[in-house]
């Protein structure tokens, strides 16, 4: 069972799988937090509810991608997350 999960995540060990999942958890939580801070700094919290949440959700995507590389690097997994980031950027039309 764990071998299938490691293969899905493309990791070599259970320890690396643990680290990768911790990075995802920390990054997800931090991106929600920082997106709120960015909206507050820009003074956009007074927008109507639909606009506020639309902007906040759209802001989460780039914030998450940047934090994924930063947090992944702090946990010693830069190469793993950079490969993932390149795949995501290709989907957005950015070529390397």
């Amino acid at each position: 069972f764990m071998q299938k999960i490691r293969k899905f995540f493309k990791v070599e060990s259970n320890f690396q799988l643990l680290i990768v999942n911790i990075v995802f958890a920390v990054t997800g939580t931090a991106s929600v937090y920082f997106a709120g801070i960015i909206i507050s700094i820009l003074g956009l919290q007074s927008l109507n509810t639909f606009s506020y949440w639309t902007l906040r959700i759209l802001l989460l995507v780039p914030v998450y991608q940047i934090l994924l590389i930063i947090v992944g690097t702090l946990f010693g997994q830069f190469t793993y997350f950079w490969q993932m980031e390149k795949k995501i950027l290709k989907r957005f039309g950015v070529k390397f």
Side-chain angles (χ1 to χ4, degrees):
F1 177 72
M2 288 305 290
Q3 186 175 3
K4 288 181 181 181
I5 293 174
R6 284 194 311 266
K7 186 176 180 180
F8 176 79
F9 280 96
K10 298 176 183 164
V11 296
E12 297 176 10
S13 68
N14 288 343
F15 181 71
Q16 186 182 15
L17 179 64
L18 175 67
I19 296 299
V20 165
N21 282 298
I22 289 171
V23 169
F24 282 130
V26 169
T27 302
T29 303
S31 64
V32 170
Y33 176 75
F34 285 117
I37 289 176
I38 292 168
I39 286 178
S40 294
I41 289 171
L42 297 174
L44 301 174
Q45 62 270 46
S46 62
L47 293 172
N48 67 55
T49 303
F50 178 77
S51 297
Y52 172 84
W53 284 107
T54 301
L55 179 63
R56 189 162 178 167
I57 291 168
L58 289 174
L59 190 59
L60 282 174
V61 174
V63 170
Y64 183 84
Q65 299 308 317
I66 293 166
L67 286 176
L68 190 62
I69 295 297
I70 293 169
V71 175
T73 300
L74 292 174
F75 278 87
Q77 296 296 314
F78 173 79
T79 303
Y80 178 85
F81 287 103
W82 182 242
Q83 293 302 318
M84 182 182 295
E85 192 66 34
K86 286 194 292 189
K87 288 179 188 177
I88 292 168
L89 290 172
K90 280 183 183 178
R91 290 181 187 158
F92 286 117
V94 178
K95 297 187 181 204
F96 287 89

